[in-house]
Amino acid sequence: MDSIARAKDVTQHHIAPVASKNDRERRFNTEAVRALGEAGLLGLLVPSALGGLGQGPRAFADVVATIAEADPSVAMVYVMHVCGTACIVNAPQTDVTRAALADIVAGKHLTTLAFSEAGSRSHFWAPLSRAKKTPNGVLLDAVKSWVTSATHADSYVVSALSPDGKGPTDSTLYLLGKGVAGVSVAGTFEGLGLTANDSAPMKLDGVAISENARLTPDATGFKAMLEVVLPLFNLGALALALGICRATVAATASHLRTAKFEHLGASLGEALPNLRAQLAQMQNDTDGLAARLDDVVKHLETPGDLTMLRVLQAKAVAGDVAIKVTSDAMRTCGGAAFSKHTSIERYFRDAHAGAVMAPTVDVLKEFIGKALLGIPLF
Ligand SMILES: Cc1cc2nc3c(=O)[nH]c(=O)nc-3n(C[C@H](O)[C@H](O)[C@H](O)COP(=O)(O)OP(=O)(O)OC[C@H]3O[C@@H](n4cnc5c(N)ncnc54)[C@H](O)[C@@H]3O)c2cc1C
């Protein structure tokens, strides 16, 4: 079975049937993560030489969009895992990284990114916490403001300023295991959207990190964020938005076909041309997102001069389009959408969460504008 067929199978059996319930109860879907692991999908991008499926950006985008059509919360858990795993794959191979990768390809290990800090907010590239050198590695105190999968992840890819770093982006990335002394989840998730992805704050209190758990050379964490994480995260966010839009168009079409004006003897879609036009616009916007996704995948497969610009645009456009399509659907389906008779209001809330996740849509537009004018981004 190829990776898309595997994703469809997991989605059909373990994600779609419980998505609405998990959203209502803010319940993290542990069964879905287990099933993704059993299907080999936690090791999707891990090279086959290391036991993974050895797939690339196309498969990643397709798997994320497939999951997001049913449940964007699970899709975001998956995106964070794949980004964290890429950091581990790109790190020097030590006993710590080898053990994590062995568990990831065996489908038994979920990882995530713990970058954002309360003090630097959405500017995740500028951690305020600073690692202090010890004879065997470093000691770290930090407050991470949002960590997807916080209580369910087996490890965290954590950023901090390097012990001798001079500037605000001179960071280093480390891999922390769940059981490490001093690592704790410091709250619960009360967000409007992506309610089932357990994005909670975390506290690192005098955490001793061994040299073997360092994922990047000192002061090059920022480089890994830009070169390893950003392309995957932005592609994942675009694929997630595409899944949201596809599901929203399908739910809207279904409502327009089945809800009736009985006094007119017609469905909403048959009776009202303005609703048909709104549905058409939603489909047009969704197809535009799909075309952009194809373009970004091609750029990542064969990088060129415009690749970084396309990566920045990917998430900026995804956030805006997902909010527009889901807002249009809320209006098109009226009270039925507003009152949870469809899943549209869930997708509407989830679309808003995607847009405020860093790099936020506003920050990306700021970067794109600077790039177009030849102004340095940082
Ligand atoms: C559901 C969810 C899951 C998350 N999961 C993770 C995770 O797993 N790991 C992680 O590290 N973080 C995670 N985050 C945190 C996220 O990436 C952001 O750091 C966080 O949403 C920023 O919120 P804030 O209130 O601090 O934004 P602020 O930084 O206060 O921004 C406020 C507003 O200012 C705008 N703004 C900020 N800077 C600029 C600029 N330079 N130019 C223009 N506009 C600007 C922003 O776009 C925003 O509209 C998650 C967030 C959410 C909502």
Side-chain angles (χ1 to χ4, degrees), residues 80 113 115-116 121-123 146 148 199 356-358 360 362-363:
M80 287 296 184
L113 302 177
F115 288 172
S116 304
R121 307 185 72 87
S122 59
H123 299 187
W146 304 77
T148 294
S199 297
V356 299
M357 288 181 76
T360 67
D362 293 323
V363 165

Side-chain angles (χ1 to χ4, degrees), residues 33 36-37 40-44 46 78 81-82 85 104 107-110:
V33 173
L36 288 166
L41 293 171
L42 293 185
L44 182 75
V46 178
Y78 186 70
H81 167 81
V82 170
T85 300
I104 285 170
K108 296 180 198 150
H109 185 118
L110 182 73

Side-chain angles (χ1 to χ4, degrees), residues 48 59 62 65 147 159 205 223 227 251 267 309 338:
S48 26
D62 288 345
V147 182
S159 57
D205 207 356
K223 187 171 184 289
E227 293 175 5
S267 67
L309 182 63
F338 197 76

Side-chain angles (χ1 to χ4, degrees), residues 161-176:
L161 285 172
S162 311
D164 302 319
K166 304 276 180 284
T169 59
D170 287 346
S171 60
T172 303
L173 302 186
Y174 304 94
L175 184 65
L176 293 189

